[in-house]
Amino acid sequence: SSGKITALLGITRDVTESKRADEALRESNERFQQLADNITDVFWIRSPDLRKLYYVSPAYERIFGRTTDSQHANPEEWVDYIHPDDRERVLSSFTSLMREESSLDIEYRIVRPDGEIRWVCTRGFPVRDAAQVVTRYVGILTDVTASKRTERRLNIEYQVSRVLAESATLRQASSGILRTICENMNWEVGEFWNVDNRAGVMRFDDMWIAPDIHADEFLTISRKTTLARGVGLPGQVWASGKPVWMPDVVVHGNFLRAAEAKKAGLHSAFSFPILSGNEVIGAIEFFSREIRQPDEEL
């Protein structure tokens, strides 16, 4: 009644296990962060509807050539970087992943800001809670460009060797060689040029064009064109005896058919010599609708 405290009640609780659990969780998160930040593949975590991005590892910047911040700001922007020819197939696969709540394993091409095309493989699967409800999707994206190139080039070597073995002359083999290389290396147009030593020029000999390319004017001008040593792409190959690459023939000063190439939608070009001993007897030339940076290995 006097208001004085006559007793003090206190409770002491042992929080050792809780502290240990917190520390274990912190260490686990740190290990995950260290692992995800240092792997060469892209590790990603998305919401059950795939629209929200919970996490993407730094390897995204190396493979896609874009920042992780931009991906977080616009989680669906990665769709824009899928090669147009692969986009529908990839989106269909991701729709199936979400609808069927199953796993994903798909290879496709992406286009970097500099125009370089890379092959990637994405594997993903759902993560469920105790009630078996999907709470998120996780996945790994791997750059498989190098292995894809090796696989394709071995296939090209085999197919070209077969074409040559079945042909009596290089002229008979030219169409098959052009088609084989173009289809396996994603070049839309291939041309054969022969050296006419008597006239001192190179002349157009044969061409292969992808079915979806409209290059009638380009074909016509190629047939009419003769190239002196050092002039045009095949002429440069003739002069140097080495492969030559033009990232964009439309803006290159030493490409005589630039206007016709532009009308056909062609940009990058690559040519290499046909040799007989040390003598250049011709050149093979390829064109792409995309602007490609030089590929030293190719």
Side-chain angles (χ1 to χ4, degrees), residues 37-243:
D37 286 353
N38 288 282
I39 59 175
T40 57
D41 298 334
V42 177
F43 180 72
W44 53 265
I45 306 175
R46 285 184 174 269
S47 61
D49 63 0
L50 299 177
R51 294 184 179 276
K52 294 180 181 178
L53 179 66
Y54 296 152
Y55 176 80
V56 61
S57 64
Y60 173 84
E61 299 187 352
R62 178 182 59 82
I63 294 176
F64 280 78
R66 296 168 171 89
T67 66
T68 55
D69 288 342
S70 69
Q71 175 71 172
H72 280 291
N74 184 7
E76 297 184 33
E77 72 168 3
W78 67 277
V79 174
D80 297 332
Y81 310 144
I82 301 173
H83 192 285
D85 293 343
D86 297 343
R87 192 169 297 157
E88 183 176 349
R89 175 173 59 88
V90 174
L91 291 179
S92 176
S93 296
F94 272 86
T95 298
S96 297
L97 169 70
M98 185 173 57
R99 183 177 60 246
E100 301 171 10
E101 297 181 348
S102 59
S103 60
L104 171 75
D105 189 342
I106 185 173
E107 288 186 354
Y108 55 95
R109 290 164 292 177
I110 61 170
V111 183
R112 288 167 50 88
D114 59 4
E116 179 188 359
I117 296 175
R118 290 191 180 181
W119 277 92
V120 298
C121 175
T122 295
R123 298 178 177 88
F125 59 89
V127 175
R128 306 174 189 273
D129 60 16
Q132 295 302 301
V133 175
V134 175
T135 59
R136 59 193 179 276
Y137 286 94
V138 301
I140 289 285
L141 181 144
T142 305
D143 187 339
V144 296
T145 305
S147 61
K148 203 73 174 178
R149 285 175 177 169
T150 299
E151 175 188 336
R152 288 194 170 198
R153 287 168 189 171
L154 288 173
N155 186 45
I156 287 173
E157 288 181 17
Y158 168 76
Q159 291 190 42
V160 168
S161 296
R162 182 175 178 179
V163 170
L164 288 169
E166 295 173 349
S167 305
T169 65
L170 184 61
R171 180 68 181 83
Q172 292 178 358
S174 61
S175 181
I177 291 174
L178 291 174
R179 178 172 183 170
T180 294
I181 298 178
C182 285
E183 289 184 339
N184 281 276
M185 299 303 295
N186 298 315
W187 295 92
E188 280 78 23
V189 174
E191 293 184 343
F192 251 89
W193 291 79
N194 288 327
V195 173
D196 183 343
N197 285 311
R198 182 174 299 178
V201 297
M202 294 190 86
R203 301 186 188 277
F204 173 86
D205 185 64
D206 199 3
M207 174 184 276
W208 183 87
I209 305 176
D212 59 339
I213 294 292
H214 304 288
D216 292 343
E217 290 186 40
F218 188 74
L219 174 58
T220 298
I221 193 67
S222 293
R223 284 174 172 163
K224 294 179 179 179
T225 299
T226 57
L227 300 172
R229 185 187 294 267
V231 177
L233 188 55
Q236 292 182 53
V237 171
W238 182 19
S240 66
K242 298 178 180 179

